[in-house]
Amino acid sequence: MPSRYRAKFINSLSGYKSANLIGTKNINGQSNLAIFSSVVHLGASPALIGFIMRPDNGSRHTLDNILQTEQYTINQVSADFYQAAHQTSARYPEDENEFVTCNLSEHYIDGFKAPFVEESRLKYAVKLKEIMPITINKTQLIIGEIVHVICEGSAIQADGYIDIESLNTVTASGLDSYHTSQRLARLSYAKPNIASAELKLDATTEQLIFPSDANKAQ
Amino acid sequence: MPSRYRAKFINSLSGYKSANLIGTKNINGQSNLAIFSSVVHLGASPALIGFIMRPDNGSRHTLDNILQTEQYTINQVSADFYQAAHQTSARYPEDENEFVTCNLSEHYIDGFKAPFVEESRLKYAVKLKEIMPITINKTQLIIGEIVHVICEGSAIQADGYIDIESLNTVTASGLDSYHTSQRLARLSYAKPNIASAELKLDATTEQLIFPSDANKAQ
């Protein structure tokens, strides 16, 4: 396959991807913002999150800044600003601030130096824990611990699930396609010999009804 | 946070996830099928794909089988069978075949022992390349090379992008929510000082029109 065709084809195989902006600052106070589609959940306790950094091509400002400060933010991309988020993937010079160029706003919290994306409706502060080299293709897995979460409260359901669809969070496919979502269902925890049922919100209490609880109540 | 609340909350933070079934066989010919939401693109050349294996809890049939045969299949989950796919996450005994129990069909190709999911519209054969321990939380990154792709031809566009939305591929959020997607747009490769434009299909030729090509033609 020709190289560009191959890149688009292989990038489509993993399925839908997360779309997140990673915000950093270098030791001189210069902000940087870049979109990543490889952010992946690693564990809940401790709360660890990973992403894949591509091979060193001589200008990886996000990684340089993370190495300098050991701090970064991850900001979910929503439909309201996905074009601006995509534009951060252009190769801007190191001294150009993608927040300004791409028309997004910096947001800060006390005690954390890396910039958040004001427009993002679900975002969190991350401290670098480990960089694992993937020698086979010279990529790296960047592992961080989530230390502070900023999320619109209305999206957090009674059981802890965050309804990211209600936040208009987008998903990506391939190298350049962006999508919103339509929920099919939330399914109950799967057990052998019991078919999973849909979880539903009780209209009166706005609490989630779990099929197992419903069974208990009967 | 209570443990279950925390698991659902933290699992929601990474954004939308891929939903894939991983098919394996042990050396005795016993098939296994399990759903994973952590499959991630690692690189196009060579074509590498990764997924996260949770800490050893004494019954990880997928990993045991991959270690025995060094072969597995990854099968995108579509809306037509997402409930069956979710049900594979129940803790079945090692000698129970999730294909049979969850009402999915095995499919084989010559020269590859691991079973594909017949119902999946985009699936591929993978050979194990490396298992990287993530010591910080005792998970593992399983890295494989894609050696054979089975995909409905109508979904493959002229530039190599696979329209997984047309295949009804689902995306997952949190631990238990499944979604279909609605495309906002495909955006052109981002360059500094040029706003990204939408890529569009030419209605006559069914070829993608790239803004840069359109400019060249003028």
Side-chain angles (χ1 to χ4, degrees):
Chain A
M1 294 184 192
S3 152
R4 283 194 179 190
Y5 185 99
R6 182 187 180 95
K8 288 177 183 174
F9 185 84
I10 301 296
N11 262 283
S12 302
L13 297 180
S14 61
Y16 287 104
K17 309 176 188 193
S18 55
N20 287 287
L21 285 164
I22 298 189
T24 55
K25 213 182 240 310
N26 72 13
I27 44 170
N28 300 320
Q30 170 73 47
S31 294
N32 187 275
L33 189 66
I35 191 165
F36 284 82
S37 65
S38 59
V39 170
V40 63
H41 170 84
L42 292 180
S45 186
L48 296 176
I49 194 104
F51 70 96
I52 306 294
M53 179 65 65
R54 297 204 297 177
D56 191 352
N57 58 8
S59 85
R60 297 186 301 173
H61 308 145
T62 297
L63 182 58
D64 292 343
N65 294 353
I66 290 175
L67 288 169
Q68 287 175 25
T69 64
E70 300 192 347
Q71 293 190 351
Y72 48 110
T73 68
I74 299 183
N75 307 265
Q76 286 192 5
V77 174
S78 66
D80 309 313
F81 61 93
Y82 79 99
Q83 295 104 326
H86 181 76
Q87 186 61 31
T88 65
S89 62
R91 293 195 184 200
Y92 294 108
E94 188 179 356
D95 62 359
E96 188 155 352
N97 179 348
E98 288 87 358
F99 280 97
V100 175
T101 303
C102 301
N103 210 18
L104 293 165
S105 315
E106 299 183 39
H107 173 79
Y108 291 92
I109 58 170
D110 283 346
F112 204 77
K113 286 180 184 164
F116 292 89
V117 177
E118 174 82 41
E119 289 81 358
S120 174
R121 300 170 70 178
L122 171 47
K123 50 206 172 201
Y124 37 100
V126 184
K127 286 197 175 168
L128 177 67
K129 296 299 282 185
E130 194 175 341
I131 295 181
M132 284 179 50
I134 300 175
T135 50
I136 190 171
N137 69 347
K138 296 180 181 159
T139 55
Q140 291 165 296
L141 174 63
I142 316 295
I143 301 173
E145 182 167 4
I146 296 163
V147 294
H148 191 91
V149 177
I150 304 173
C151 178
E152 292 182 15
S154 60
I156 305 171
Q157 297 193 350
D159 65 338
Y161 170 76
I162 305 174
D163 182 0
I164 63 174
E165 187 165 289
S166 76
L167 300 175
N168 261 327
T169 297
V170 300
T171 178
S173 70
L175 285 171
D176 53 32
S177 188
Y178 296 89
H179 315 249
T180 53
S181 76
Q182 283 199 299
R183 179 171 290 105
L184 292 164
R186 288 187 63 192
L187 298 181
S188 58
Y189 187 82
K191 294 178 181 175
N193 305 321
I194 301 175
S196 290
E198 290 188 27
L199 303 179
K200 293 185 191 295
L201 268 183
D202 183 291
T204 314
T205 64
E206 293 200 334
Q207 299 287 301
L208 270 175
I209 303 169
F210 291 88
S212 57
D213 296 340
N215 289 343
K216 273 182 217 155
Q218 282 164 7
Chain B
M1 294 184 192
S3 154
R4 283 195 178 190
Y5 185 98
R6 181 187 181 95
K8 289 178 183 173
F9 185 84
I10 302 294
N11 262 283
S12 302
L13 297 181
S14 61
Y16 286 104
K17 309 176 188 193
S18 54
N20 288 287
L21 285 164
I22 297 188
T24 56
K25 212 181 241 310
N26 71 14
I27 44 171
N28 300 320
Q30 170 73 45
S31 294
N32 187 275
L33 189 66
I35 192 166
F36 285 82
S37 64
S38 60
V39 170
V40 63
H41 171 82
L42 292 180
S45 185
L48 296 176
I49 194 103
F51 70 96
I52 306 294
M53 180 64 67
R54 299 204 297 176
D56 189 353
N57 57 10
S59 84
R60 296 186 301 173
H61 308 145
T62 297
L63 182 58
D64 292 343
N65 293 354
I66 290 176
L67 287 170
Q68 288 175 26
T69 64
E70 301 191 346
Q71 295 190 349
Y72 48 111
T73 68
I74 300 183
N75 307 263
Q76 287 194 5
V77 174
S78 66
D80 309 312
F81 60 94
Y82 78 99
Q83 296 103 326
H86 181 77
Q87 187 61 30
T88 64
S89 63
R91 293 195 184 201
Y92 293 109
E94 187 178 356
D95 62 1
E96 188 154 352
N97 179 349
E98 289 87 358
F99 280 96
V100 175
T101 304
C102 300
N103 211 18
L104 293 165
S105 314
E106 299 184 37
H107 173 79
Y108 291 92
I109 58 170
D110 282 347
F112 204 79
K113 287 182 182 164
F116 292 88
V117 177
E118 175 82 42
E119 290 80 357
S120 174
R121 300 170 69 178
L122 170 47
K123 50 206 173 201
Y124 38 99
V126 185
K127 285 198 175 167
L128 177 66
K129 296 299 282 185
E130 193 175 343
I131 296 181
M132 283 179 50
I134 301 175
T135 50
I136 190 170
N137 70 347
K138 295 180 182 159
T139 57
Q140 290 165 296
L141 174 62
I142 316 295
I143 301 173
E145 181 166 6
I146 296 163
V147 293
H148 190 91
V149 178
I150 303 173
C151 179
E152 292 183 15
S154 60
I156 305 172
Q157 297 193 349
D159 65 339
Y161 170 75
I162 305 175
D163 182 0
I164 63 173
E165 188 165 287
S166 76
L167 299 176
N168 261 328
T169 297
V170 300
T171 178
S173 69
L175 286 171
D176 53 30
S177 188
Y178 296 89
H179 315 250
T180 53
S181 76
Q182 282 200 299
R183 179 171 291 104
L184 293 164
R186 288 188 64 194
L187 298 180
S188 57
Y189 187 81
K191 294 179 180 174
N193 305 321
I194 301 176
S196 290
E198 289 188 28
L199 302 179
K200 293 185 192 296
L201 269 183
D202 183 291
T204 315
T205 64
E206 292 199 338
Q207 300 287 301
L208 270 177
I209 302 169
F210 291 88
S212 58
D213 297 340
N215 290 342
K216 272 183 220 155
Q218 282 166 7

